[in-house]
Amino acid sequence: MRKIVLFQPEKPANTGNIIRLAMAMDFSLAIIGPVSFSLDDKSLKRAGMDYLTGVPIELYPDLDTFLSGHKKYDAYFVTRYSPNVYSDFDLSDPNRDQFYMFGKESSGLPRQLLERNIPRTMRIPMAINARSLNLSDSVSIIVGEVNRQQGFHGLALKEAIKGKDSILH
């Protein structure tokens, strides 16, 4: 199982976009609280569109509860402070349980968590003067790399909804 994990997300629109991404890219989603908005929030629904019902969302009250239930997963923690570039990891086995944790928009993941897991932290290279990327953009980059390394396992490689010749009509 491949899982996106959001640690205390703060912006409903980002979370809605990530829900939509999780559904389209065949990832599950976990949210670690507390969360500062309702999952019924209007902007979350607008960003997630009708995908909100297609993605089961696991809710955890705190980090320890989440981690204790995912000890057998390959864990990856995305942070700008990592010495490791995300593309240097071998994420190619679609049969391994993996989770990719992203921190809250204002302050990222807890420092103690990162210090305990430095070999499993990953960064997205950016311009030197850039402080950060949008959370949903960061999730998209990592999910895209995972899917690329896994040969887009389980994803449609040809247009399935409108038909293979839809570009010609």
Side-chain angles (χ1 to χ4, degrees):
M1 175 178 290
R2 305 166 327 157
K3 188 176 293 195
I4 297 165
V5 182
L6 303 179
F7 174 77
Q8 299 179 353
E10 299 167 317
K11 298 185 178 179
N14 280 337
T15 302
N17 286 334
I18 293 165
I19 291 169
R20 186 175 182 178
L21 177 75
M23 192 295 277
M25 297 290 116
D26 198 26
F27 274 69
S28 64
L29 178 64
I31 298 176
I32 300 170
V35 178
S36 62
F37 56 88
S38 166
L39 292 179
D40 294 330
D41 188 284
K42 186 170 92 174
S43 58
L44 178 119
K45 288 182 179 180
R46 183 171 46 250
M49 295 175 47
D50 57 339
Y51 298 109
L52 292 175
T53 58
V55 177
I57 301 172
E58 302 169 13
L59 298 173
Y60 295 87
D62 54 56
L63 185 59
D64 290 336
T65 303
F66 173 82
L67 292 173
S68 68
H70 291 82
K71 291 179 181 175
K72 294 183 179 182
Y73 277 67
D74 290 343
Y76 301 96
F77 305 92
V78 183
T79 175
R80 67 173 296 193
Y81 304 110
S82 177
N84 313 307
V85 175
Y86 73 92
S87 57
D88 291 339
F89 287 86
D90 179 359
L91 311 170
S92 63
D93 187 350
N95 298 312
R96 295 195 55 100
D97 289 335
Q98 305 164 337
F99 73 74
Y100 303 88
M101 187 179 293
F102 299 82
K104 59 182 163 179
E105 290 91 338
S106 64
S107 58
L109 292 169
R111 184 174 210 75
Q112 301 85 348
L113 175 69
L114 297 174
E115 288 172 350
R116 289 192 313 261
N117 293 286
I118 290 173
R120 292 288 190 174
T121 62
M122 55 174 60
R123 71 176 283 115
I124 299 167
M126 299 181 290
I128 290 171
N129 60 350
R131 287 191 323 272
S132 65
L133 290 168
N134 176 278
L135 177 61
S136 59
D137 292 339
S138 297
V139 174
S140 294
I141 290 168
I142 300 302
V143 164
E145 177 68 6
V146 172
N147 277 326
R148 185 193 68 77
Q149 286 193 29
Q150 294 180 2
F152 304 102
H153 180 77
L155 300 179
L157 299 177
K158 297 182 179 169
E159 174 53 43
I161 295 173
K162 294 187 177 184
K164 66 179 182 170
D165 295 329
S166 65
I167 197 168
L168 301 174
H169 303 289

